[in-house]
Amino acid sequence: MLGSAADAEDVLQEVWLRWADVVVDEVRDPRAYLVRMTTRLSLNRLRTLARRREDYVGTWLPEPVLTAPDVAQDVELADSVSTAMLLVLETLPPTERAVFVLREVFDVPYAEIAEAVEKSEPAVRQIASRARAHVADKRPRASVSAAERDAVIERFRAATETGDLQGLMDVLAPDVVLMTDGGGKVKAALNPIFGREKVFRFLTAVAPEALELEPVWLNGSPAIQFVVAGHRDGVGTMLVEDGVVTQLFLVRNPDKLGSVAGGEVPLSRL
């Protein structure tokens, strides 16, 4: 819902602290109570984030989320945390985003959602329908199996690491889009880069000689961690369609790499 692991952790911590003060025996439905509390705090945080992102330097990308491989087995969950999908959710107003996530990802009953967002059930059904149509229109339509997707990502990693320029060109779609997020703290393209030739020139121009590419699971699928001289320099996630990379997301903002730094528990199906 928030597009940020750090903000999600802050909300959950606040929920935990508030729950600690609740007389549990007086709560008729603890699950519904917690869903309502978490949703309302998330909506408050979303509105704060929206104001903060207005001043963001360059392209804003969702914070990479470290995930366990088993997340890929849950198609709905994996899709909901993919970078491409999180970017689509960013185009929804806060209430529509909350309703969509609660209904489509977690299958929360409409009546329960209505309580959480403080609207009538008929209104929530209309919001859900509108959000569903918006997401269906905007969301990527991946047409590859998980095995093919993984193979394409590995081809990209191998071509980049070995300097196989033709192999890198072959794995990029003609209309590929590259988005890089440096947050004004490290070098990154301020605007998206469109087209295979321009993306290729950018990648080959900025790649340092001591670059190492390590596999990692992020946002529900295999991804790449960029290591330069032993230091983590960023991560890359991709959208694969029809056997090629159609969208490439590179996050270099150091403030967004905390969940990949090690020590955190990956998001899993449990």
Side-chain angles (χ1 to χ4, degrees), residues 35-100:
V35 167
R36 183 167 63 249
M37 188 191 307
T38 305
T39 300
R40 290 178 182 176
L41 288 172
S42 294
L43 283 170
N44 291 339
R45 183 60 63 95
L46 269 177
R47 295 180 181 109
T48 300
L49 291 175
R51 292 191 294 271
R52 189 187 307 166
R53 287 168 191 167
E54 291 177 357
D55 300 323
Y56 198 80
V57 178
T59 299
W60 180 92
L61 288 174
E63 182 182 339
V65 179
L66 190 65
T67 54
D70 67 358
V71 168
Q73 300 170 26
D74 188 328
V75 177
E76 286 294 332
L77 178 58
D79 180 60
S80 71
V81 298
S82 70
T83 304
M85 185 59 174
L86 289 174
L87 283 172
V88 172
L89 293 180
E90 280 294 313
T91 64
L92 288 172
T95 299
E96 286 191 19
R97 182 169 182 170
V99 169
F100 179 86

Side-chain angles (χ1 to χ4, degrees), residues 92-168:
L92 288 172
T95 299
E96 286 191 19
R97 182 169 182 170
V99 169
F100 179 86
V101 170
L102 290 172
R103 182 62 187 173
E104 300 301 315
V105 181
F106 297 107
D107 198 28
V108 176
Y110 285 112
E112 198 171 316
I113 298 175
E115 289 189 13
V117 299
E118 299 182 286
K119 293 186 179 295
S120 68
E121 185 174 338
V124 165
R125 288 181 179 274
Q126 289 183 343
I127 292 171
S129 177
R130 187 166 60 244
R132 196 180 300 116
H134 177 87
V135 171
D137 181 59
K138 299 285 187 181
R139 78 192 305 167
R141 292 169 174 80
S143 56
V144 296
S145 65
E148 184 178 0
R149 176 204 64 196
D150 297 355
V152 170
I153 294 174
E154 174 55 26
R155 283 171 53 203
F156 178 92
R157 187 200 66 77
T160 304
E161 190 165 43
T162 61
D164 180 3
L165 302 184
Q166 186 58 53
L168 181 58

Side-chain angles (χ1 to χ4, degrees), residues 155-211:
R155 283 171 53 203
F156 178 92
R157 187 200 66 77
T160 304
E161 190 165 43
T162 61
D164 180 3
L165 302 184
Q166 186 58 53
L168 181 58
M169 285 285 284
D170 292 342
V171 81
L172 298 175
D175 56 351
V176 63
V177 179
L178 168 65
M179 301 174 71
T180 62
D181 181 346
K185 301 190 175 185
V186 294
K187 288 185 178 180
L190 293 178
N191 299 301
I193 299 173
F194 299 90
R196 178 164 55 197
E197 296 292 339
K198 290 182 179 179
V199 170
F200 175 79
R201 288 199 298 270
F202 178 85
L203 292 177
T204 53
V206 301
E209 292 184 4
L211 177 65

